Amino acid sequence: MMLTIEEAAKIIQSQNVKRSVIDRLIEDSLGYWLAEEITSPFDLPSFDNSAMDGYAVSGVSESYKITGEIQAGDISAKKLRDGEALRIFTGAKIPDSATAVVMQEKTRVKNNILFVEGEVSEGQHIRRRGNELSSGQTVFKPGHLISPASIGMIGSLGINSLKVYQKPSVRIISTGNELVPPGHTKELGQIYESNSYSLQSALESHGFRCEEKTHIKDDFSAIKQGIEAFLEASDVLLISGGISVGDYDFVKQALEENGVQELFYKVFQKPGKPLYFGRRDDTFVFALPGNPASSLTCFYIHVLPLLQKLSGANSTGLQRLDVPIDHDYDNTSDRPVFLKASIQNGRVSILDRQSSSMIHSMALGNALVFLNEPALISKGEQVQTILI
Ligand code: AMP
Ligand code: MG
């Protein structure tokens, strides 16, 4: 029995995983997932301050006597009395008795008297203490992905080091007698090995790293030994090729003989049907079909969510969006299908050359369209797209 895509996802998501926690400086924490809750140590802002360059005024009037100035970072000892104004700059602490800040562009000064154009309304242009966060408030929960804005937020709370989840250690094995590394001369019948490169960069583009990669010929004992060596050292092992039903597809048996427990084999999907997922102790193995588009599609749909889960993510998988299709499309696939596609100006086009052996269309596109069943789709209909 072949698994559905949802069943495969469920098996991946239901795995018990071990995670370790590490400390990172905030500047080194981009792309990690938080392993602790961050709460605000103080009200933010922690004092009422000016949102504008202008004047802090006391009382509501058309003119004020200017008695001094407060720069950002200053604490003014000056008392502001009714009818008085202080020159003030963005971010500077507001004196307690100020009614409002009047922006510079709405004022005129003559002989140290400030004239205001228009009404002064109470509290205007004052950023109040605690209006962004109050002391003790939850800022981020564990599992939050640390983005540049998250780092800015955490820095503004005075925190410079974080607890994050360690990322899994990943290794890649490519298999196949026919494969030659790019940069070398190939003979007739040979092709260039590309999957380990696309997989390695797919890892990198999502914040993961390939510790090590190797290529192994279609030789049972070499594959078995190679797998054993990498299994020991890795949290996740990705194997490309050799997992189909051909006479020289040795990967599945080699995994079995190395004590890897099969969690699923074959998913009702296109491309990527002969996908294998297994584990030995705390090491997970994906054996990906060798066709270039299959292996990369399987990475995005099935491997990436596991890597994110292992890294403590509170949500996994690529972003999915319903987007109107830019043309009619007759989907005749008997299996749920991931189609190479391109989103441009809010519309998606399914690209030519969809074969699982072809990666050019995937490289020109920026999305996959997911279609669950055969259907005639008309231009303008919404289809589910996955942003890659
Ligand atoms: P396999 O899954 O080993 O039967 O391979 C399926 C197809 O993908 C064959 O045409 C292989 O030549 C091709 N292929 C397998 N591995 C790679 C690779 N690492 N890079 C490029 N093509 C590959
Ligand atoms: Mg092969």
Side-chain angles (χ1 to χ4, degrees):
M1 247 314 276
M2 231 185 288
L3 252 60
T4 65
I5 296 165
E6 294 74 26
E7 286 165 340
K10 228 177 235 164
I11 291 173
I12 293 168
Q13 282 306 328
S14 66
Q15 295 304 308
N16 292 319
V17 302
K18 275 209 191 111
R19 299 184 185 101
S20 28
V21 172
I22 51 173
D23 291 300
R24 303 289 289 186
L25 291 173
I26 55 171
E27 60 267 43
D28 300 325
S29 69
L30 182 68
Y32 281 85
W33 283 271
L34 260 182
E36 62 178 331
E37 178 168 296
I38 302 290
T39 54
S40 185
F42 42 70
D43 292 337
L44 191 74
S46 50
F47 49 89
D48 292 358
N49 68 91
S50 179
M52 294 283 170
D53 292 322
Y55 295 86
V57 299
S58 179
V60 173
S61 172
E62 281 160 15
S63 63
Y64 300 87
K65 185 175 171 228
I66 300 170
T67 60
E69 75 167 36
I70 318 170
Q71 273 184 38
D74 283 356
I75 32 171
S76 169
K78 280 227 167 61
K79 277 266 174 303
L80 191 61
R81 282 181 296 255
D82 201 31
E84 290 181 351
L86 286 170
R87 181 87 173 105
I88 198 164
F89 302 94
T90 306
K93 186 179 179 303
I94 297 280
D96 293 341
S97 47
T99 306
V101 168
V102 180
M103 62 196 286
Q104 191 169 311
E105 293 85 339
K106 296 264 169 77
T107 62
R108 206 160 38 81
V109 178
K110 209 177 163 191
N111 299 330
N112 223 30
I113 302 294
L114 177 76
F115 297 94
V116 177
E117 297 164 14
E119 294 271 288
V120 170
S121 76
E122 212 169 303
Q124 83 181 351
H125 305 317
I126 297 177
R127 302 191 286 219
R128 291 292 176 197
R129 172 180 180 151
N131 73 0
E132 184 169 8
L133 290 170
S134 33
S135 178
Q137 188 181 333
T138 299
V139 182
F140 298 124
K141 294 191 172 138
H144 174 83
L145 175 62
I146 299 173
S147 64
S150 311
I151 291 173
M153 175 76 258
I154 293 165
S156 73
L157 298 175
I159 298 166
N160 74 338
S161 164
L162 296 172
K163 296 210 178 304
V164 298
Y165 291 107
Q166 176 87 279
K167 301 235 182 142
S169 140
V170 186
R171 283 179 177 71
I172 299 174
I173 297 174
S174 56
T175 69
N177 285 353
E178 73 281 27
L179 302 173
V180 176
H184 291 69
T185 317
K186 74 173 170 66
E187 308 293 334
L188 194 62
Q190 297 185 315
I191 64 163
Y192 285 115
E193 196 282 300
S194 62
N195 288 349
S196 73
Y197 295 87
S198 56
L199 291 169
Q200 181 173 2
S201 30
L203 285 166
E204 284 166 12
S205 71
H206 287 279
F208 300 98
R209 226 164 54 86
C210 169
E211 300 298 312
E212 215 179 335
K213 67 178 195 176
T214 191
H215 176 75
I216 308 176
K217 293 234 159 129
D218 294 316
D219 170 274
F220 180 75
S221 68
I223 290 183
K224 188 177 160 185
Q225 273 178 36
I227 288 176
E228 179 57 38
F230 270 14
L231 270 176
E232 271 301 307
S234 313
D235 299 312
V236 176
L237 174 59
L238 304 180
I239 304 169
S240 141
I243 192 65
S244 282
V245 294
D247 290 349
Y248 300 96
D249 290 336
F250 296 130
V251 168
K252 192 162 177 295
Q253 200 194 332
L255 287 166
E256 255 164 48
E257 292 194 15
N258 279 321
V260 177
Q261 180 207 347
E262 178 186 315
L263 296 166
F264 66 69
Y265 176 50
K266 290 196 176 168
V267 181
F268 193 59
Q269 64 180 7
K270 192 176 163 180
K273 183 173 80 173
L275 172 67
Y276 169 102
F277 178 52
R279 85 182 278 177
R280 190 178 82 178
D281 306 321
D282 288 315
T283 301
F284 293 91
V285 181
F286 280 99
L288 309 166
N291 274 313
S294 307
S295 89
L296 195 52
T297 302
C298 285
F299 176 89
Y300 286 129
I301 304 301
H302 300 285
V303 178
L304 185 60
L306 178 79
L307 296 172
Q308 292 169 328
K309 178 186 161 78
L310 289 170
S311 312
N314 59 10
S315 83
T316 63
L318 292 171
Q319 202 190 339
R320 296 187 183 221
L321 281 181
D322 286 339
V323 176
I325 193 166
D326 207 21
H327 51 83
D328 294 342
Y329 187 77
D330 186 10
N331 177 33
T332 55
S333 172
D334 56 340
R335 279 176 264 155
V337 63
F338 299 99
L339 294 159
K340 298 147 195 87
S342 172
I343 302 178
Q344 230 93 55
N345 304 320
R347 301 195 147 249
V348 66
S349 305
I350 292 169
L351 302 170
D352 288 339
R353 302 205 164 76
Q354 289 289 337
S355 162
S356 60
S357 64
M358 297 175 177
I359 201 156
H360 189 204
S361 51
M362 200 165 179
L364 294 175
N366 56 12
L368 296 171
V369 164
F370 177 67
L371 299 176
N372 204 27
E373 56 199 10
L376 205 60
I377 300 162
S378 346
K379 180 173 174 166
E381 263 182 61
Q382 303 268 339
V383 291
Q384 190 184 117
T385 62
I386 302 158
L387 306 184
I388 63 170

